Amino acid sequence: MFSPSPALYSTAYTRSLNDPEAFWQEQATAIPWIEFPTKILSTDEEDLTQSGVARWFADGVMNTCYAAVDYHVEQGRAEQVGLIYDSPVTNTIQRFTYRDLQTEVARLAGVLRRLGVGYGDTVVIYMPMVPEAAFAMLACARLGAVHSVVFGGFAPHELALRIDDAQPKVILSASCGIEFDRVIPYKPLLDEAIRLATHQPDHCLILQRPQCQAALTDERDLDWATTLTTAEPTDCVPVRATDPLYILYTSGTTGKPKGIVRDNGGHAVALKYSLKAIYNIDPGDVFWAASDLGWAVGHSYIVYGPLLGGCTAILFEGKPVRTPDAGTFWRVIQDHKVKVFFTAPTAFRAIKKEDPEGKLRQQYDLSSLETIFVAGERCDPPTLNWLGDLAGVPIIDHWWQTESGWPMVANQMGTNPIPVKAGSSSVPVCGYDLQILDDNGQQLSAHQEGYVCLKLPLPPGFTPTLWRDADRFQKSYLSRFPGYYLSGDGGYIDEDGYVFIMGRVDDVINVAGHRLSTGEMEEIVGAHPAVAECAVVGIADEMRGQRPVGFVVLKDDWTDSSRSIEDELVAMIRERIGAVAYFRNAVTVKRLPKTRSGKILRKTIRQIADGESFTIPSTIDDPVILEEIRLALTEHKIGLAFG
């Protein structure tokens, strides 16, 4: 690791903004090209997207699968383990060398080619966290096809929307997924989605898992194992850097999912750069991102990033708790000698709830671990401090989105480690001209909260458009502040340049004319020793427009019934923010409604309290929780719907 020196980061960051072409041309030399690009940043009309966004490496030719797999075999890493599959839910551990990956991916690519998949075709992958899902992604990349991974177990209606938008030739799926000890059959969900969809795939390739055998439909459905027995391996197909590698759907305000597009060249360059610059990962190191392949983290840092960097990646099929206990993360780190670990703060809050004193962590040797990164939602300072004390390594909160594909704000541990500030995701990453703007598009001063925006051009790896919907890309991200990308998050930058992301712009509430951050209130509530997890939501108030309400999950070992937690939390907010916050209620609940990726459904909680009609989000972990929230609000007579 470099010695901490602000000059290292400052010099690199300034250069990346003042001379982006030279900066990214240099980074592009780190990946293998078939034809190295001469056009680094294109602003001419021929190479712009339909949205008007500049393109990177427009005339470069490469193949992402080659750069991630075959290249390392040729460079002497054939016998190094490239992927470790660790599945506590099936008691399975498998290791695949780079040569194994090359063999498996080339054979699966041969199957897809035989099924008619070629350059530019789309393939939907609807699978659990199994090695075959990673093989499928790489096999598509090998052929120059475009994959769209849909979170395994997604509801048929949502899957059907994605099938109709992506229009895949082939769908790759499995007979089931496993949630804790529960087997979830996927094939009935897939069959119903295809029935609902207008577009019909030519074939479905189904991986039969021993926990559940799926019934196959004649002609359309093929058995994965049987089909592979006659597969002919196929080589990598050259593609342009600007050709799409994948589509990843994310929620949109209209109800129709947005198809985030990732190109090949910029994506590979950005991820390769981020591995060393941000995560301080070198070839041969073990990198673990505990996420799902259905999310952006899974694409960037389970499959593509680590493999592009010649690392060992871990694909984990399990949860932070109950598989078998709250020590499973520590066990994986010990067993596989993980150097850098990355997951969402919600995972550690779940661990903290079940093992608040961290007794299980003491059972494991974490000497290989150098850093823990968290992202996906804002990491509250109490969780960050608890985790730092427990793990004994730096805890780095960083910020990025599905749209960016890699971090926008981070402590660049491989370039210039700087002190951690609790509550901040650190400083802008090289290539990102991040600014805080007011309603009129004017740049704000230190500590003034506003819209978090990125000045164009966006760096390599950032989505250049939405799948077949350039107009929506323009309207969603570029029209509000011309010349800027609107992230949808609010925040501020302090006097030292540290960025504080305070949550989605619609999470900033207006209480009697005062703009207040629910993120700040969550920090205060989360600091109470009884609180394991919390959410503060702005609900409608007839007198003040909005007012905040807290929802708290208490730690399992909290037994002091003599104290009124609600009164104490109200007093803490009053002391830290003042009576202007009008924080009057902190409702104790057993759990908070979340997406499967761990994000709290604050908007849905608000809609319940305000008596608004809403659609149960397709990404929700357990819909029953919403009824528990409604009953808690009713009991406390909170909200327009209950008051």
Side-chain angles (χ1 to χ4, degrees):
M1 182 183 293
F2 291 110
S3 299
S5 169
L8 290 173
Y9 161 76
S10 180
T11 300
Y13 182 69
T14 300
R15 180 168 174 253
S16 75
L17 299 191
N18 292 344
D19 194 356
E21 291 192 59
F23 182 88
W24 290 110
Q25 181 179 34
E26 181 180 316
Q27 310 312 322
T29 62
I31 68 165
W33 294 85
I34 297 170
E35 296 178 20
F36 193 84
T38 60
K39 294 181 179 180
I40 304 302
L41 176 61
S42 300
T43 55
D44 55 292
E45 204 164 305
E46 180 183 349
D47 291 319
L48 290 176
T49 66
Q50 289 179 306
S51 303
V53 177
R55 302 304 300 265
W56 291 94
F57 317 121
D59 61 346
V61 179
M62 48 88 71
N63 182 281
T64 297
C65 180
Y66 174 81
V69 179
D70 302 68
Y71 174 74
H72 298 301
V73 173
E74 295 171 5
Q75 296 298 309
R77 294 192 176 276
E79 304 312 316
Q80 177 193 310
V81 174
L83 184 69
I84 299 172
Y85 169 53
D86 189 307
S87 172
V89 296
T90 61
N91 293 314
T92 303
I93 293 178
Q94 290 178 284
R95 291 177 172 84
F96 299 89
T97 65
Y98 274 93
R99 191 185 305 281
D100 294 333
L101 291 176
Q102 184 184 45
T103 299
E104 296 288 346
V105 171
R107 290 174 63 225
L108 184 55
V111 168
L112 291 176
R113 171 170 281 177
R114 197 170 70 202
L115 296 178
V117 176
Y119 171 82
D121 290 328
T122 54
V123 173
V124 163
I125 301 169
Y126 181 67
M127 299 186 73
M129 288 288 287
V130 292
E132 289 82 0
F135 302 161
M137 295 166 66
L138 291 162
C140 291
R142 194 174 191 84
L143 295 172
V146 184
H147 65 69
S148 183
V149 179
V150 179
F151 184 87
F154 229 31
H157 171 70
E158 295 296 325
L159 177 56
L161 289 177
R162 287 152 175 77
I163 291 172
D164 279 338
D165 198 63
Q167 299 185 351
K169 270 197 172 183
V170 173
I171 297 177
L172 304 178
S173 190
S175 58
C176 69
I178 303 170
E179 293 278 340
F180 299 111
D181 56 357
R182 186 164 60 104
V183 173
I184 302 173
Y186 280 7
K187 190 57 166 49
L189 302 176
L190 174 61
D191 288 342
E192 176 63 8
I194 293 174
R195 188 190 70 80
L196 293 171
T198 301
H199 174 82
Q200 298 294 295
D202 294 339
H203 296 285
C204 295
L205 189 63
I206 308 299
L207 176 70
Q208 298 281 17
R209 304 190 74 186
Q211 294 80 11
C212 174
Q213 293 291 301
L216 303 186
T217 302
D218 291 342
E219 296 184 7
R220 187 194 72 192
D221 296 343
L222 301 169
D223 178 83
W224 190 296
T226 302
T227 307
L228 245 66
T229 58
T230 57
E232 289 290 332
T234 191
D235 291 330
C236 297
V237 173
V239 301
R240 293 173 299 180
T242 54
D243 284 335
L245 171 66
Y246 68 77
I247 310 162
L248 185 57
Y249 289 94
T250 187
S251 300
T253 55
T254 65
K256 179 187 176 184
K258 295 183 292 188
I260 303 300
V261 174
R262 196 80 63 216
D263 63 16
N264 275 271
H267 170 256
V269 171
L271 289 188
K272 183 67 184 293
Y273 168 74
S274 73
L275 277 185
K276 180 61 184 176
I278 297 173
Y279 299 105
N280 197 32
I281 285 286
D282 294 305
D285 288 340
V286 182
F287 186 99
W288 179 27
S291 182
D292 191 279
L293 294 177
W295 313 128
V297 173
H299 284 61
S300 296
Y301 295 112
I302 296 178
V303 178
Y304 289 116
L307 296 183
L308 285 165
C311 304
T312 299
I314 295 177
L315 192 151
F316 176 74
E317 187 182 26
K319 300 290 184 183
V321 296
R322 293 173 50 201
T323 57
D325 56 33
T328 191
F329 276 7
W330 314 126
R331 191 272 303 167
V332 173
I333 292 169
Q334 169 191 269
D335 288 358
H336 305 305
K337 296 181 172 54
V338 174
K339 178 181 177 181
V340 174
F341 179 43
F342 172 12
T343 193
T346 191
F348 287 114
R349 286 196 286 267
I351 294 170
K352 182 181 175 183
K353 184 177 186 298
E354 292 205 2
D355 185 23
E357 296 181 9
K359 293 178 180 178
L360 291 172
R361 177 262 177 268
Q362 305 306 322
Q363 300 176 15
Y364 300 99
D365 176 8
L366 305 187
S367 58
S368 66
L369 187 66
E370 290 190 1
T371 321
I372 293 177
F373 283 81
V374 291
E377 58 175 316
R378 187 168 177 274
C379 186
D380 57 291
T383 297
L384 185 141
N385 293 331
W386 174 86
L387 180 58
D389 292 341
L390 187 65
V393 299
I395 311 301
I396 308 300
D397 188 7
H398 61 327
W399 175 72
W400 52 296
Q401 300 175 319
T402 300
E403 288 86 347
S404 71
W406 64 291
M408 297 182 280
V409 178
N411 195 334
Q412 295 198 195
M413 298 299 287
T415 304
N416 180 194
I418 58 178
V420 170
K421 281 193 180 184
S424 171
S425 44
S426 203
V427 294
V429 168
C430 290
Y432 288 100
D433 188 352
L434 187 146
Q435 299 179 18
I436 308 297
L437 304 183
D438 66 12
D439 287 324
N440 298 316
Q442 298 301 307
Q443 191 170 353
L444 292 170
S445 302
H447 288 283
Q448 289 185 297
E449 193 167 325
Y451 299 93
V452 180
C453 298
L454 303 172
K455 190 174 182 180
L456 303 182
L458 300 168
F462 212 100
T463 179
T465 188
L466 296 178
W467 182 250
R468 295 174 178 163
D469 204 344
D471 288 344
R472 189 180 183 190
F473 182 83
Q474 177 70 231
K475 291 174 184 176
S476 297
Y477 303 111
L478 305 179
S479 63
R480 180 68 173 82
F481 301 111
Y484 289 87
Y485 165 89
L486 175 64
S487 73
D489 280 325
Y492 65 90
I493 300 175
D494 74 5
E495 68 280 358
D496 297 320
Y498 282 72
V499 179
F500 290 76
I501 304 295
M502 303 309 292
R504 300 298 294 176
V505 174
D506 56 10
D507 287 339
V508 175
I509 62 175
N510 193 316
V511 182
H514 298 278
R515 286 171 58 87
L516 299 171
S517 168
T518 53
E520 182 180 3
M521 295 183 209
E522 288 181 2
E523 276 190 27
I524 298 167
V525 172
H528 192 287
V531 175
E533 191 168 24
C534 69
V536 176
V537 177
I539 69 170
D541 183 87
E542 292 177 336
M543 285 290 292
R544 293 163 179 80
Q546 285 182 297
R547 70 181 180 93
V549 172
F551 297 84
V552 299
V553 179
L554 301 183
K555 295 175 182 175
D556 288 351
D557 63 344
W558 184 263
T559 57
D560 189 351
S561 59
S562 65
R563 296 167 62 176
S564 171
I565 303 301
E566 181 172 23
D567 290 346
E568 292 181 15
L569 294 175
V570 169
M572 289 169 67
I573 295 289
R574 186 182 183 92
E575 179 183 351
R576 291 280 298 276
I577 298 178
V580 66
Y582 201 70
F583 186 90
R584 294 290 185 271
N585 302 103
V587 182
T588 299
V589 293
K590 293 180 180 178
R591 48 193 180 157
L592 295 171
K594 300 177 184 178
T595 65
R596 293 187 182 92
S597 63
K599 292 185 178 180
I600 298 169
L601 294 166
R602 294 173 176 84
K603 180 180 178 182
T604 305
I605 296 174
R606 177 185 60 76
Q607 289 173 318
I608 294 172
D610 291 351
E612 296 178 4
S613 60
F614 66 95
T615 302
I616 296 176
S618 58
T619 55
I620 192 169
D621 185 53
D622 185 356
V624 175
I625 304 176
L626 297 181
E627 178 63 14
E628 296 174 4
I629 294 292
R630 190 190 68 79
L631 290 173
L633 288 167
T634 303
E635 180 181 347
H636 289 74
K637 295 183 180 179
I638 294 173
L640 297 182
F642 313 101

